[in-house]
Amino acid sequence: MQGLILQLTRAGFLLLLWLFVWAVIRTLRSDIYAGTGGRVVSRYQRRSPMLSSLGKQKVAKHLVVTQGALAGTRITLGTQPVLIGRADDSTLVLTDDYASTRHARLSQRGADWYVEDLGSTNGTYLDRDKVTTAVRVPLGTPVRVGKTVIELRP
């Protein structure tokens, strides 16, 4: 009877080890091959179209890091998307342990800029709303990537 209990205990530990390895591989895979998730509607998308057409619309020309290790960094925006993450080929390379390799992307659609989470581990937030698909970023609205906060400025 003791031999059976010993064998079942060994099998249980082996199963736990494989589950741990599988969880690590799944996390690494989601960090490397970032996909997009479901859609979250933010309060900025619920705004009335009449309100945005009342005044002269300002266009974002700069991306400014307001909080984090790179606070004060200013990037001039062009027509190319801005890739944000820890990867060396990112437009904004973060030294933040809470940021993924390819964490988020800012891309222009017409005169508006949209932020999109690229399947990051800790998520991307527009103000306080979690972003899972492309969401329009109003000027001056904080976008949180890990411990880094960025804003679009005219």
Side-chain angles (χ1 to χ4, degrees), residues 14-57:
L14 187 62
L15 178 66
L16 285 174
L17 177 67
W18 278 109
L19 286 173
F20 174 74
V21 169
W22 178 77
V24 168
I25 290 173
R26 194 178 109 216
T27 302
L28 288 173
R29 184 176 178 261
S30 69
D31 198 23
I32 293 171
Y33 302 107
T36 58
R39 181 180 172 90
V40 173
V41 178
S42 74
R43 63 177 175 244
Y44 299 105
Q45 290 178 326
R46 291 183 233 136
R47 210 186 273 181
S48 169
M50 299 264 314
L51 290 176
S52 62
S53 64
L54 286 177
K56 183 179 177 184
Q57 194 172 22

Side-chain angles (χ1 to χ4, degrees), residues 50-91:
M50 299 264 314
L51 290 176
S52 62
S53 64
L54 286 177
K56 183 179 177 184
Q57 194 172 22
K58 294 182 181 179
V59 178
K61 295 184 182 176
H62 299 282
L63 177 68
V64 178
V65 179
T66 58
Q67 291 179 21
L70 300 173
T73 303
R74 186 181 195 95
I75 297 175
T76 303
L77 298 172
T79 57
Q80 297 296 322
V82 176
L83 185 61
I84 303 166
R86 290 184 300 157
D88 292 335
D89 62 342
S90 297
T91 311

Side-chain angles (χ1 to χ4, degrees), residues 101-133:
T101 305
R102 286 184 171 68
H103 196 102
R105 176 177 40 228
L106 277 167
S107 55
Q108 188 176 18
R109 296 181 188 171
D112 296 327
W113 283 85
Y114 286 77
V115 65
E116 176 181 8
D117 185 78
L118 300 176
S120 65
T121 306
N122 293 324
T124 303
Y125 293 87
L126 177 65
D127 201 8
R128 293 182 182 154
D129 299 326
K130 188 168 184 175
V131 174
T132 55
T133 61

